[in-house]
Every structure is written in structure tokens, then in C-alpha cells.
Amino acid sequence: MSEPIVVQAQDPERERLEHEGWVAIARSFGAQLDADRVDRARLGALTIRDDVSIRALGPDDVPAVIELDRRTIADYPGSVATQHHPLSREAAAPSSVRRAFGAIDASGELIAMTFVDFDGSHVETDFTVVDPGWRGRGIATAVKAASVIALVDDGAERFRTGGSEENVGILRANAALGYVRDEEWVTLTHP
Ligand SMILES: CC(C)(COP(=O)(O)OP(=O)(O)OC[C@H]1O[C@@H](n2cnc3c(N)ncnc32)[C@H](O)[C@@H]1OP(=O)(O)O)[C@@H](O)C(=O)NCCC(=O)NCCS
């Protein structure tokens, strides 16, 4: 089996590869949210909860970030295009260019987090994850909403995100925040 190749769904290269016998094994998407389209009131309402508190993460949270990453590492669907690698200590450390937001439960445990890279105007989502016991309760949507509001306040103009086409939870969370899908990718492999 050859190394998988990731191409845009509309790329003519895809047709050529498929003629040569390459087959699609996964689909993924890219989506964008422009700051001037952010509905602050609606997103703000998504972050107000009585079961968890949503806040920016900092250096003191690194051990909890690594622990949550460790127990969810096998949960990311898709193929090479949407792979999530275990966080190193450096990648788990929030900073001015690597911003992170999390949800903390009543016992003080970190149960969800979203990490983005931020260059002062553009935001690229790295990953979002929720503890399995807390999924399906709007928590991914809440931490992503908190991150969008805070980063707009800090000058963000454009947010990008992406993921596996089969990941309905993240697709719907992105749609709830106003992300518009503008890229489709296929991962091809040659059996
Ligand atoms: C994807 C993930 C982050 C979603 O977290 P979550 O807290 O369950 O998401 P939310 O509760 O905010 O749900 C958002 C929407 O998706 C829906 N949803 C969530 N999980 C779903 C599922 N497995 N199947 C179908 N719909 C789902 C919710 O009903 C909600 O829909 P709505 O806005 O129409 O009400 C979580 O499943 C997870 O951690 N998965 C593993 C890591 C991962 O894949 N991360 C994303 C790629 S970086």
C-alpha cells in the first residue's frame, strides 16, 4: 500500500490518480468564519452554563491538558488529513500564539479543550476534544464559542477550521458558530 495522498476534491489530479487505481479512503473539509460575521450575543449565550465553567487555559493547566489528551487520543475519526498526534509538553502549553480554552467541571477537572494557533489576525484551529462522558451536551460548541469571542477581542479577523467529513459532532458545532464550509479534500490510497 502506498503512502496516502490528500488532494482537493475538485483537483484534476484526483481524476488522474483515480484513473491510475487510487481510491478515496477518507474525506475532510475546511471552513471559515470571518470576524465581521461573528454573532457575539449568540456565541456568548452558548458559553453560559451552570454545569461547567468555560475559561482560557494557561501554563498551570498543562498537566490537565496532557491527561485529557492522553485519555482521548484514540477518539479522532478520519485518516492522515485529520490526524491528531499526542501533545508534547510544548504543544500542550498555551501562549500568546497558541491559545487554548477549556471547560472545567464542578470538581475542578478539565473535561474539554480547544487549541488554536493565532498570528494576531488569523486563527487556525488545531483540535477540539471533549471527555467521552461529557459529549453531546454542547460543550465543544461552548469552548469554541468562547475562543472565537476572546480572539475577536484580541484582533482576530479570520478563523479557519477543518476535520473529517464523518465527524458529525464537530461539523455541527462549527455550523452553530457560523463557520462556512469552503474546501473539500479526499485522501487517496493505492491498494
Ligand atoms: C467532536 C467532539 C469534539 C464534539 O463534542 P461535543 O461536546 O459532543 O459536541 P456538542 O455537544 O457541542 O455538539 C455539537 C452538535 O453536534 C451534535 N453531535 C455531537 N456529537 C454527535 C454525534 N456523535 N453524532 C451526531 N451528532 C452529534 C450535537 O447534537 C450538536 O448538534 P446541534 O448543534 O444541532 O444541537 C467530541 O465528539 C470529541 O471530543 N470527539 C473526539 C475528538 C474529535 O473528533 N475532535 C474533533 C476534531 S479536532
Side-chain angles (χ1 to χ4, degrees):
M1 178 98 67
S2 2
E3 283 293 303
I5 299 179
V6 183
V7 292
Q8 292 234 23
Q10 308 304 329
D11 189 334
E13 179 69 358
R14 173 188 178 181
E15 203 176 331
R16 191 187 68 72
L17 288 164
E18 286 180 341
H19 272 301
E20 284 180 8
W22 291 71
V23 289
I25 54 161
R27 289 169 196 280
S28 46
F29 66 90
Q32 182 159 319
L33 173 61
D34 293 320
D36 57 8
R37 292 178 50 91
V38 168
D39 183 341
R40 291 183 64 97
R42 202 171 52 78
L43 267 53
L46 295 170
T47 67
I48 298 166
R49 309 183 56 105
D50 51 19
D51 52 352
V52 294
S53 59
I54 311 283
R55 64 163 172 81
L57 301 179
D60 291 350
D61 297 302
V62 169
V65 165
I66 289 177
E67 168 53 25
L68 177 55
D69 187 56
R70 192 197 54 74
R71 66 177 190 270
T72 51
I73 197 67
D75 296 356
Y76 293 78
S79 182
V80 288
T82 53
Q83 235 164 9
H84 173 76
H85 299 285
L87 291 175
S88 63
R89 244 193 129 66
E90 191 189 0
S95 69
S96 59
V97 294
R98 186 155 171 83
R99 307 288 287 271
F101 296 80
I104 321 291
D105 75 5
S107 71
E109 190 182 355
L110 179 70
I111 56 92
M113 57 188 173
T114 186
F115 271 67
V116 304
D117 296 314
F118 180 44
D119 70 3
S121 61
H122 299 153
V123 180
E124 186 69 45
T125 307
D126 183 0
F127 70 92
T128 304
V129 72
V130 176
D131 181 282
W134 283 88
R135 290 180 190 159
R137 301 192 218 175
I139 295 192
T141 311
V143 291
K144 290 194 81 156
S147 130
V148 167
I149 293 170
L151 291 163
V152 166
D153 286 345
D154 287 354
E157 290 165 11
R158 189 178 77 196
F159 296 80
R160 294 222 37 107
T161 195
S164 165
E165 193 70 58
E166 65 194 83
N167 199 338
V168 182
I170 209 69
L171 281 165
R172 292 178 72 148
N174 291 335
L177 301 184
Y179 274 95
V180 176
R181 287 174 55 158
D182 57 4
E183 285 179 356
E184 286 185 41
W185 299 83
V186 287
T187 302
L188 301 167
T189 189
H190 199 287

